[in-house]
Every structure is written in C-alpha cells, then in structure tokens.
Amino acid sequence: MARLYDLVVLGELNVDMILTGDAEPVWGQHEKLVDDARLVAGSSSAIFACGAARLGLRTAFVGVTGDDVFGAFMRDHLRAAGVNTNHLITDPTIRTGATIILSRPDGERALLTYLGSIAALRAEQVEAGLLQATRYLHVGSYFLQHALQPGLPRLFAEARTAGAVTSLDTNWDPTERWDGGLGAVLEQTDIFVPNEREAQAIAGSGDVKEALEALAARGPVVAIKCGAAGAIAAHGEERATIRAPEVTAVDTTGAGDSFDAGFIAALARGLPLAETLAVATACGSLSTRGVGGTSTQATWDEAVALANRSGTP
C-alpha cells in the first residue's frame, strides 16, 4: 500500500536558547559573560524530524504549541526544513516550551527546561489515519511527554498492525526513575535508540555492552550512541560497532537526534545494520559543525561520503 509519509513524528516542541562559552552561573546576582547566544529550534523530536527531512524522508510532525511567538518560530522552522506541519495543534491555554542550554568549549552541556507545551500531546489527538499513512512512526523525549505516555503502547500497537515500523528515543529521565510505563512501550517498539547512559540506566547495567544485550533481548533493533566513542547496535544475532569519525565539533546539541534520523533513513533505504550504523554516526557527527541541532545537519550524500571514509572496524 502506498504511504503518504515515510515518517510521522509524535513529539514535543520547544525553542532552545544556546549560551556558548566557558562560564557557569553563580547565585547572588553574579554576572558572567558568554561568547555567543542564539535562539534556535529545539526539542529532540523536532531536531530528529528536520534531520530526517534533510536526508530525504517525507516527514510529518504531530505536536502541540502555544499560540505565541515561540510556537510560531517552531512552526516556521519545521516548514522551512521540509517537515509537514499540517498536523500540529495550537493550544491557546498553554505556552510553548523552552530550554536554556549552557554549552562549554569542552562539549559539556547543562540544560534548564520549561515544559509548557512539551508535555501536552495526548494519544487521542493523533489522527487515526496517520498510522496507516506512514512507513515509520517515531517518538522522542518519552520521559518528557507525560500526556502521551499512557496511550503510547496502544498507538504503537495500532501502527504496527497497520504495517508501520515504530521507533523510540527516551532521552534522559529528569526523575531518574526510568519507568513511566516504558516496559509496555518497549514491547511495541521495533527500533530503540538510547544513548549510553540512558541504555545503562534502563537496562540496570553499568556496562554498555551488557545493556545492549539486555535491551536487544526484549526484541527491538537497538542502537546505542556512545558520543565520541561511536555507537554499537544489535539486531537479532547480528552485532555492529562503529568509531566516531573525525569532525571538528562546535556544538553537540541534537547530535543524538541527528544520529536517530540517519539510522531510520538508512534502514528505510534497506541498508544492512553495519552500514546503517555508520551512516547514523556520520549524521550525528556532521550535525556538530554548527550551533544548534539543525543548522548543519547532513544531507544523504554527505552522510554516506563520511561513512565511507570512516569505514567500520
């Protein structure tokens, strides 16, 4: 059956204010200077969607914004990136979410987030026809999407029944309980793409390879992002490892989300696991060339070229 979209993203929407420099805040009205400040499109899911569209996937977004300047900013940015925004919801009773990111020269970051519309999307707001209209259905920032959590296992199950592939990136759990009904969602997840710390916390293991095995035993294809060390993945009995390519990083915001986009785009093109992991890692690395999560995301040709130069061990 022909599908209207390659990918539908159910996600949170917020702006990011990125402050760059070797400075940390000090209470007591101590003023510190930073090197740069930029307002950019934020949210794990939005960065993922923009990356997927840039890689050539027909991508639509389902999410909630407030009726405010930040909401208009996010809508405009998604449209400019080639993401279909016809399914976005405007709620005048809430404000669009926002995150302040403190980014140091060594790549370390600290985040302060106002949830606002981030936690507002509910499962019943997702049009039923969308599950039949897409090849892939993705959810990011699971632990921030409080209203979506109860209905997500049903949505994923319905999507799989309709022939769609489901994918999930939990991102960090601010409560560090690593629950929120996640087990039921993972039972309906085909592709799981956490980072190293998230995978270890969810699997209850201090070793990333043990975490990979534990998560893969639950059934999904699992790819774990390990930052500068690269990534590892498992699909059934198959395993793959990739080193991170050499790229001069300016800002690591959204690198994991760009990795996710590359992983889905490569699988959608039918690439085997090792090549998929190489393309995904290239996408994550290339996204760090500029400030913000979407300013320097890779095209398909760029990602493949870097993946081919880097190779796999």
Side-chain angles (χ1 to χ4, degrees), residues 63-68 71 75 87-94 96 125:
V64 180
T65 70
D67 187 12
D68 49 29
R75 288 168 179 269
H87 309 285
L88 292 186
I89 301 158
T90 301
D91 186 342
T93 68
I94 58 178
T96 304
Q125 292 175 298

Side-chain angles (χ1 to χ4, degrees), residues 60-74:
F61 200 99
V62 182
V64 180
T65 70
D67 187 12
D68 49 29
V69 172
F70 286 168
F73 180 91
M74 289 303 301

Side-chain angles (χ1 to χ4, degrees), residues 103-194:
S103 181
R104 297 193 319 206
D106 62 3
E108 282 295 326
R109 297 181 301 146
L111 289 73
L112 295 172
T113 294
Y114 164 68
L115 279 178
S117 62
I118 289 173
L121 180 64
R122 305 187 307 275
E124 56 267 29
Q125 292 175 298
V126 179
E127 301 164 37
L130 281 176
L131 305 180
Q132 288 78 40
T134 185
R135 297 172 61 200
Y136 288 82
L137 182 69
H138 180 81
V139 169
S141 289
Y142 173 80
F143 288 113
L144 295 183
Q145 297 201 66
H146 303 156
L148 182 63
Q149 290 175 7
L152 189 56
R154 174 184 59 80
L155 281 180
F156 267 18
E158 291 176 359
R160 296 172 89 185
T161 299
V165 177
T166 59
S167 60
L168 177 70
D169 188 346
T170 60
N171 298 97
W172 190 255
D173 179 6
T175 71
E176 299 189 32
R177 290 194 294 265
W178 305 100
D179 186 14
L182 181 61
V185 179
L186 285 176
E187 289 178 3
Q188 302 297 334
T189 298
D190 296 307
I191 302 167
F192 187 37
V193 282

Side-chain angles (χ1 to χ4, degrees), residues 202-221:
I202 293 166
S205 172
D207 181 84
V208 67
K209 291 184 179 180
E210 290 180 0
L212 176 70
E213 298 302 324
L215 294 171
R218 300 190 185 190
V221 177

Side-chain angles (χ1 to χ4, degrees), residues 1-16:
M1 182 178 65
R3 305 276 173 154
L4 179 63
Y5 302 117
D6 295 310
L7 172 67
V8 169
V9 182
L10 311 181
E12 81 291 4
L13 289 171
N14 63 271
V15 297
D16 281 349

